[in-house]
Amino acid sequence: MARNTEMTSRLDASSYLWWALLCFARGLVIVVPMAVLVVMFNRMGMSNTKAMLVSSLLLLPLALRPLTMTMVKGNRSAKWWMMTSLLVYALMMFVASSHLSPALDNYVLWICLVVMSLVGGTFETAAAYCGQQIVRKENNGMLTTMILALLMAIVIGMGVMMLLAGNMEVVSRKIEESWSLALKVGAVMMLVIMLMVWMAARYMPDNADESSLSPKWQTRKNEFVAWWTADRKRWVFGMFVVLFPMHEFFLWRGSLLFLIDRGSIGGLMLSPQEMGFAFCTVAIALAMAGYDMGKGCIRRFGLNRCWWWMALAFTVPDALYVYLAYDMPDELWRITMILSVEQWCCGLGMAAFLYYIMYGKDTICSRAHLDACWSLSMLSIILTGLFTGAIQDYLGYRRFFVMVALLAIISLATLGWLVVKREKEKE
């Protein structure tokens, strides 16, 4: 306790600034393959099934943190790994922007995307290592900073690139040139963030940049295996982490293509700049506000009293997309309002979900626990991405969103199952 209290006291405003910049960069690494590339592939003629499948596979290194953290080790520091990974990521994005073709058949482009995926996983691993040294139960402000910085990366990173690509499509009438410029801007953004992280690195806590990034493979493997096998409840917990947010990941990935697809197949036909404004800027900003409100309610009333109504806020608004799919409104303000309400409610639900997996009574805020939670969450994102495009193409948008709304029942069922098991164990 004394050690954690001392560590918390050292985390002044400068340390929070460094941590926010680091998490913003982590958000950009996630947003580019998860959202930007999906829209780019769609605009350049790739089918929804293939676009979602490829983007999900590019996220795979981010889900392999327990494995990656055992591989990224040696005499280099965490700071070195982060700076090198961001530099390579920016360079690969710049090279990829110069090899866009209408058919997306340039092998240099795909090599660059694969390298971006690998170094993105390396950067996230190094950044997570630093975070695991400073995030403690006595300092949950670091968790809030991380979530808000990740959402801000969506607002700024995805919003700027979408707005730029959409405006350039109108001006130049050449889709590949428009997205080439957007990728170049993204590369410059990554370089700027790299320099800012490097300059702010002097505010890193003393124990967040050790000479060896990770312990030996055997030690790391034993920690991770012991976390899973020490208690049967961990498997229940793992299923909850994967299943509870799954409907929202289906909804989030599916809405990207729904907003920009042509009306003949059920899309709303928004331009990339309109989607960048409505979804990537206004709606995500409301998600940040919802998360902040949910965090305040949990601190005031406690997680147990907030669980169910926050879970309902997380699931019930999925029906708003069913309304959008059937009504297909033309007014941008009405679409923006509906997306904002859904994302605000999503922020409320995610606050409860994240606080439970980080600070719940049945959890242990250890290195293996953090690795497991991240990997399981990314697994849920990847699994939904692998099948979202195919399901959309087969069912159509209307029946797809009905399916997602019904899938939200699984979230409530897993929560009820978890609560019932806890009550039985208390008895």
Side-chain angles (χ1 to χ4, degrees):
M1 176 68 73
R3 179 185 176 186
N4 290 342
T5 304
E6 180 184 358
M7 182 183 301
T8 303
S9 65
R10 293 203 304 267
L11 295 176
D12 53 12
S14 299
S15 296
Y16 275 96
L17 172 62
W18 164 78
W19 179 238
L21 288 171
L22 195 62
C23 292
F24 183 82
R26 295 170 70 184
L28 289 179
V29 168
I30 298 172
V31 163
V32 170
M34 185 176 176
V36 175
L37 293 182
V38 173
V39 178
M40 185 186 78
F41 292 154
N42 176 272
R43 297 295 292 176
M44 297 187 71
M46 186 179 287
S47 67
N48 290 354
T49 300
K50 190 175 180 180
M52 285 290 182
L53 178 64
V54 171
S55 65
S56 298
L57 292 177
L58 291 175
L59 286 169
L60 188 59
L62 294 171
L64 301 177
R65 182 195 289 177
L67 177 62
T68 310
M69 197 170 284
T70 62
M71 297 172 60
V72 183
K73 63 182 180 180
N75 298 320
R76 299 295 184 178
S77 64
K79 177 182 175 182
W80 184 90
W81 283 109
M82 288 188 293
M83 298 301 101
T84 304
S85 299
L86 285 178
L87 178 60
V88 175
Y89 197 97
L91 292 176
M92 289 297 102
M93 186 180 290
F94 186 83
V95 175
S97 68
S98 303
H99 291 82
L100 286 180
S101 60
L104 293 172
D105 56 357
N106 192 309
Y107 71 93
V108 177
L109 169 66
W110 293 106
I111 292 175
C112 291
L113 294 180
V114 171
V115 174
M116 284 170 55
S117 175
L118 295 175
V119 298
T122 303
F123 167 77
E124 207 288 322
T125 296
Y129 174 83
C130 294
Q132 290 174 6
Q133 310 306 311
I134 59 178
V135 176
R136 295 291 186 271
K137 292 188 178 183
E138 289 79 8
N139 191 23
N140 56 25
M142 301 302 286
L143 175 64
T144 301
T145 304
M146 180 181 72
I147 298 302
L148 295 180
L150 291 175
L151 292 174
M152 186 60 68
I154 300 176
V155 173
I156 296 179
M158 186 177 171
V160 167
M161 296 179 71
M162 292 291 185
L163 289 171
L164 179 62
N167 289 326
M168 288 303 299
E169 283 186 19
V170 174
V171 174
S172 67
R173 299 295 180 178
K174 295 181 179 179
I175 295 178
E176 59 269 18
E177 290 184 6
S178 303
W179 284 97
S180 176
L181 179 60
L183 290 181
K184 285 183 173 68
V185 171
V188 173
M189 194 182 305
M190 294 297 294
L191 286 175
V192 172
I193 293 298
M194 183 198 72
L195 293 175
M196 294 176 68
V197 172
W198 176 73
M199 289 187 292
R202 62 181 180 273
Y203 301 122
M204 293 171 62
D206 297 336
N207 62 335
D209 191 26
E210 299 174 2
S211 60
S212 182
L213 187 63
S214 64
K216 294 181 179 180
W217 161 257
Q218 193 63 33
T219 303
R220 189 71 181 181
K221 184 186 73 172
N222 291 341
E223 288 179 357
F224 194 70
V225 172
W227 186 87
W228 281 106
T229 58
D231 193 340
R232 291 183 178 180
K233 291 187 296 183
R234 300 287 163 75
W235 293 98
V236 177
F237 175 82
M239 292 181 62
F240 173 74
V241 173
V242 172
L243 295 177
F244 183 76
M246 184 172 282
H247 73 95
E248 187 63 31
F249 294 146
F250 265 116
L251 188 72
W252 202 86
R253 301 294 290 277
S255 63
L256 291 174
L257 299 179
F258 168 64
L259 294 174
I260 64 173
D261 260 337
R262 58 189 185 276
S264 59
I265 60 173
L268 294 184
M269 296 187 299
L270 297 184
S271 64
Q273 62 266 43
E274 288 176 328
M275 191 185 76
F277 169 77
F279 184 76
C280 308
T281 304
V282 178
I284 299 300
L286 266 293
M288 296 169 63
Y291 174 83
D292 193 61
M293 179 180 176
K295 178 192 68 176
C297 292
I298 292 171
R299 287 181 175 179
R300 181 173 181 180
F301 302 108
L303 183 59
N304 289 335
R305 296 178 62 182
C306 297
W307 243 131
W308 281 106
W309 70 266
M310 283 188 172
L312 290 173
F314 190 55
T315 54
V316 173
D318 290 0
L320 292 175
Y321 274 91
V322 178
Y323 165 75
L324 283 177
Y326 277 89
D327 189 63
M328 297 185 67
D330 296 326
E331 304 89 346
L332 181 61
W333 67 267
R334 188 147 61 107
I335 297 172
T336 304
M337 182 181 66
I338 293 173
L339 296 179
S340 299
V341 170
E342 194 279 328
Q343 285 297 301
W344 183 78
C345 294
C346 175
L348 283 175
M350 288 302 294
F353 174 69
L354 291 171
Y355 265 72
Y356 176 77
I357 66 176
M358 290 293 292
Y359 306 119
K361 295 180 181 179
D362 296 335
T363 62
I364 303 173
C365 196
S366 64
R367 183 170 56 191
H369 173 79
L370 296 173
D371 288 345
C373 290
W374 175 266
S375 297
L376 291 170
S377 298
M378 291 304 301
L379 177 63
S380 183
I381 292 174
I382 292 171
L383 288 176
T384 55
L386 290 175
F387 300 104
T388 296
I391 295 174
Q392 279 184 345
D393 286 339
Y394 180 74
L395 295 179
Y397 283 112
R398 291 180 175 180
R399 286 183 289 179
F400 171 79
F401 287 121
V402 170
M403 182 208 74
V404 172
L406 295 176
L407 191 64
I409 298 174
I410 296 179
S411 296
L412 298 177
T414 54
L415 175 60
W417 179 38
L418 194 67
V419 171
V420 169
K421 285 185 69 68
R422 290 181 62 183
E423 293 299 324
K424 287 183 178 180
E425 289 167 2
K426 289 180 182 179
E427 295 175 1

